[in-house]
Structures are given as structure tokens and as C-alpha cells.
Amino acid sequence: MKILGIETSCDETGLALLEASGGLNPPTGGPKFKILKNFVASQIKIHRPFGGVVPNLAKREHLKNLPILFRKLGGEKTLKGVKLLTVTVGPGLEPALWTGINFAKELAKKLKIPLVGANHLEGHLFSFLLPSRSSTAYDSRLLKKNIFPAIALIVSGGHTLILNVESFSKWKKIGETRDDAAGEAFDKVARMLKLTYPGGPEIEKLAALGNSFAVTFPRPMLDQKNYDFSFSGLKTSVLYYLRDNPQTIKADIAAGFEQAAIDVLVAKTRRAAEETGAESIILSGGVAANKHLRKALKRTAGIIGTQFLVPDFKYNLDNAAMIAVAGYMAYLRKKKYRLTANGNLNI
Ligand code: KG4
Ligand code: ZN
């Protein structure tokens, strides 16, 4: 089945055309995807001077970029044979979400193609299903093995959560951040270090030049017997450390902060995987692009004998291919999200 996915929840406009097949039940027939086209127009340069995403600017840019990407995709004639349209309905910035929803509604009406809403977080969760050459991505051979129960860590600019995933249609949130998301902490610490937005990749680059043992930052909630996180205190301790030790090498601060954040993410995910007897650990979201985090979680999965599943780098950041996947999965399980923007949509 050919699917068009549309993503406008934050600062990336995305359109993707996928071929989807298979059902919800491995090993008899898990879902399979082939990417036909995948375009992302990033607004990073527009928001960079403001140090973060400005909702109304995001809306303006989505309105400008959607028709451009649609033409690039091949226009209406490309939609011949498309059986399903899917668009992100939340969570995200509501003015931004509406641009995609309205665009999708118009297309659906004009071309008489069914439209389903997609949950952005389910997009991240299932992004490991997108085809990839990497050994840690999902491939059809895994259909023969159990991947469930799985523990999924979703780490993005707006969310940090742990899910206990029983199947392709059943999961439960078992932990989340009580304050800032991990990506948000990376962005805020980057700002303190006078790095540009988005801060995650900048911190990663700077940290690679530093010594992660030079400064030890706290590992909030590490010893608490739950799967929740807190990153606001860690961010504040970086702020105070910088104020009191202005001479410290910035790369050491970046490395110390990155290590502290990764340590808690990995430790909580490991405990969740051990305590639930998980067959796999699934990592996704923008922060999953961090090589140190990927490596640390992969090593941990190896130690406890679980599979490690992570999408290719290009699918960690927001994109419409993962939205087409989420839309297909929602369609398979007959989940009907309301076609209105819901900034706080849960998973
Ligand atoms: O998933 P995403 O594209 O958007 C949301 O849904 O929020 O995630 C963006 C977040 C930003 O906070 C960005 O700083 C962070 O992901 N990020 C990273 C890296 N690349 C992006 N954080 C740490 N290391 C990275 N390499
Ligand atoms: Zn995202």
C-alpha cells in the first residue's frame, strides 16, 4: 500500500512516500516499509537567531515549504495509486501542526484518498522499522525472532520517556521526565556555552574534544527505583559550575554534561529492560542521533543480552517517513486520531 506522510509538528517540514506491507503480528507478517521518496525542509537557520523554535515563524515556513516539497515530490500525479494519507496531529506546536493537517485535509478531499492522523511519538517509536543498512536497525530477518517485549527510550527535544512495548499494538508508558526533556537540556546547556541552536549536535562535537572525567555533574534520580528522569537540576548545576569556575575548558564541561545525561538515560533503560525481561531495547528521537548515547546503549544491551534497535541517523530527527510508518500502524490497529491539532497528545 502506497502512503503519503506529512510532518509539520515543529521546525522540520516533511513529506514522504512509502510502500507499506505486512500486518501487526510477527513472525507471520510484521510490517515492512520501502521508502520511495523522503523530503525534509529544515527551518533551523530561521530559528537559530532566536535560540529556539518560534511557533509563528514555524507556521509561516511550513506554509511556504509544503507546496514546494509537494512539487518536488511530483505533484498530484505522484499521488496516483496512493491509498492512504497520514499527517501528524500531535504532540507539537499547534500552529505548526495545523498547517500540515489543513494541507492534508485539502489533498484528501480533492483526490478522495482516506486520511488518518498520526502520533508524532509513535513515529519516533516505530522509526526503527524504516529500512536501513545498519546492523542495529530492524530488518525482515528479525521477524523470525521475538522483538517483544521491548523497552523503548524516546529522547527528543520535547519528550523523554520509557515505554514497555508488548507488541506492535500495545505499549505502556512506565517512565518520563519530570521537568525538562533530554534534548531541551542539551539545547539549554549549549546556550550557556554560547553554542548555536539546536544544541545537541554542537554539544556532541565539543564534548568529543573534552575530558568527561574533568568535571563530574550530578546524575539526577539515578538511584530512585522508578523509570523517571529529571534534567532540570543537571542543567542548573552546569549553570552554577560555569558561574563559579569560568576558567574551565568548555569542552570538558560539554563532555561532563553529556556523560551525566547519557549515564542516567542508559541506567534507567537498562533497569527497565532487566526488570521487564525485555527482548529488545529500542532507541529513538532527536537525541538518539548522539553517537555516544547509541554506543553506550548498544554496549549495555549486549551486556544484558537484549537486541538493540535504532533507526538510521537520518531518521532520528523529525521526518515524514516515520509519520507514514506511524500512520500505517494506526491504520492497521484501527486507531482513529481526531484530525485536529493536539499539542499535548500522549502516547
Ligand atoms: O526529535 P527531534 O528532531 O524533535 C522533537 O520532536 O523534539 O529532536 C530534536 C532534539 C533537539 O533538542 C536537539 O538538540 C537534539 O534532539 N539532538 C541531539 C543531537 N542531535 C539532535 N542531542 C544530542 N546529541 C545529538 N547529536
Ligand atoms: Zn520529534
Side-chain angles (χ1 to χ4, degrees):
M1 175 197 266
K2 238 191 208 179
I3 302 184
L4 177 77
I6 302 169
E7 156 65 30
T8 63
S9 71
C10 191
D11 59 348
E12 322 278 1
T13 318
L15 280 188
L17 208 53
L18 262 67
E19 181 68 47
S21 59
L24 291 171
N25 301 310
T28 44
K32 274 193 207 141
F33 299 94
K34 204 169 121 191
I35 295 181
L36 306 175
K37 285 182 181 163
N38 184 28
F39 297 124
V40 180
S42 173
Q43 306 176 2
I44 282 176
K45 284 202 188 106
I46 310 270
H47 299 287
R48 187 164 277 159
F50 303 94
V53 182
V54 184
N56 276 327
L57 280 183
K59 173 183 166 178
R60 189 191 75 188
E61 289 301 301
H62 287 310
L63 286 172
K64 192 181 88 193
N65 288 330
L66 278 167
I68 296 175
L69 291 190
F70 190 62
R71 271 198 299 279
K72 210 169 149 190
L73 202 76
E76 285 181 17
K77 66 176 189 304
T78 326
L79 297 196
K80 251 200 206 126
V82 169
K83 292 278 182 292
L84 189 68
L85 300 181
T86 175
V87 62
T88 311
V89 294
L93 304 167
E94 291 191 358
L97 288 163
W98 274 118
T99 63
I101 296 170
N102 290 333
F103 186 82
K105 278 185 176 170
E106 243 174 72
L107 267 186
K109 201 167 137 198
K110 198 161 163 200
L111 304 171
K112 301 191 175 49
I113 306 175
L115 169 64
V116 295
N119 182 322
H120 184 84
L121 291 171
E122 289 172 22
H124 280 304
L125 169 64
F126 292 128
S127 54
F128 76 97
L129 294 170
L130 289 164
S132 154
R133 285 199 211 131
S134 123
S135 64
T136 43
Y138 172 90
D139 72 42
S140 50
R141 278 169 300 168
L142 286 171
L143 295 176
K144 298 187 189 79
K145 291 195 209 160
N146 276 340
I147 60 171
F148 302 118
I151 284 296
L153 172 67
I154 305 180
V155 260
S156 71
H159 298 86
T160 301
L161 43 97
I162 293 186
L163 305 175
N164 184 0
V165 188
E166 274 179 45
S167 69
F168 280 124
S169 49
K170 197 167 176 212
W171 52 83
K172 191 170 174 238
K173 182 161 67 183
I174 56 170
E176 66 188 322
T177 183
R178 300 210 178 151
D179 39 59
D180 293 353
E184 193 180 350
F186 271 85
D187 293 337
K188 287 178 177 166
V189 169
R191 219 175 302 162
M192 294 173 203
L193 296 174
K194 311 245 178 324
L195 302 170
T196 55
Y197 173 84
E202 299 299 315
I203 294 265
E204 178 171 4
K205 265 187 257 165
L206 187 61
L209 308 172
N211 172 4
S212 62
F213 297 103
V215 189
T216 304
F217 291 112
R219 270 79 173 145
M221 300 180 71
L222 188 66
D223 298 322
Q224 289 186 22
K225 296 268 168 267
N226 55 40
Y227 307 122
D228 287 344
F229 301 97
S230 162
F231 289 102
S232 157
L234 170 58
K235 170 197 73 188
T236 310
S237 55
V238 176
L239 183 72
Y240 291 157
Y241 191 90
L242 267 169
R243 185 194 62 190
D244 300 337
N245 307 274
Q247 307 304 338
T248 314
I249 300 167
K250 297 272 195 297
D252 288 346
I253 295 190
F257 160 75
E258 185 187 58
Q259 197 55 56
I262 290 175
D263 280 355
V264 258
L265 289 170
V266 170
K268 293 261 167 160
T269 308
R270 174 182 180 154
R271 205 159 55 71
E274 285 178 321
E275 289 177 1
T276 57
E279 294 283 348
S280 1
I281 289 175
I282 303 170
L283 173 65
S284 68
V287 184
N290 187 289
K291 289 190 201 70
H292 298 124
L293 173 61
R294 292 164 87 97
K295 224 165 120 185
L297 207 51
K298 186 179 177 187
R299 195 183 322 118
T300 299
I303 293 169
I304 63 171
T306 61
Q307 296 178 81
F308 178 60
L309 297 166
V310 66
D312 247 11
F313 280 105
K314 54 179 178 289
Y315 304 126
N316 289 128
L317 299 177
D318 292 348
N319 64 84
M322 71 179 197
I323 297 307
V325 170
Y328 181 65
M329 304 298 273
Y331 163 84
L332 287 181
R333 49 179 224 278
K334 301 190 168 53
K335 170 79 188 172
K336 291 204 171 81
Y337 285 108
R338 280 185 62 204
L339 289 165
T340 53
N342 182 351
N344 298 317
L345 185 64
N346 227 313
I347 185 163

